[in-house]
Amino acid sequence: MCKTLRVRWTITPRTAPQPWIACGGCGGPRAFRASGKIRLNANGRKLDAWLIYKCMSCERTWNRAIFERRNLRDIDPMILDALQSNDPDWIRTETFNLDALRRKSQRIDESAEFDIVKEVRHEPAGWTNLEIELAAPFPTNARLDRLLAGELKMSRSRLQALRNQALCRTDPDRADIMRRRIRNGTLVTIDLAVEAEREQLWKALATGAPCNRRSTRHEHDDPAPS
């Protein structure tokens, strides 16, 4: 019988990556933010498309090429429609295209701040295990150990102790996964069979539901360097 409380955490960064580009207005490298706008230029059957960025200091614009001199028949119709309509969802996805940004900039600022939505996928009676599925639709700079420690209100040293005792497992199972960025589709399973407060404290923390426990004392690690 499956006795696993399954939840999904969807993690969404609050701020898109900000590349550092030489700014003609400021006279040196500055951080640029995406404006959420697309610029198109048609030349016969050829099309140029750029994502417009603005300097964080002086608002001067920089156009990051999405493609240049692309034949219209070679462009996916859905992408072409998104470009022509300035589709905000498509543009937001493109602002998180780190590979494209790294080809243009040697420094990219990424914020570790994010929003999180927690939802219950399956809750059997008498559950003893907690399984967390991580959904990360955009690249995030947050580390897995910091996410789990922060959301489950435990120290990272205790989290590591659970790993050492095989009470906290991950899929994929790699030695350094806790120190790496959150990856979409990662599964974290924690054995809580001996935790008396799993129905009150652990469930509330994992699902975002109100906690019925009167008072709780938490441990916190000092921030560790990235």
Side-chain angles (χ1 to χ4, degrees), residues 160-169 189-191:
Q160 186 57 51
L162 292 174
R163 287 276 290 170
N164 295 340
Q165 298 166 31
L167 296 177
C168 177
R169 303 180 302 278
T189 303
I190 305 175
D191 186 338

Side-chain angles (χ1 to χ4, degrees), residues 20-35:
W20 280 65
I21 302 295
C23 177
C26 296
R30 293 291 187 273
F32 278 69
R33 58 177 173 81
S35 69

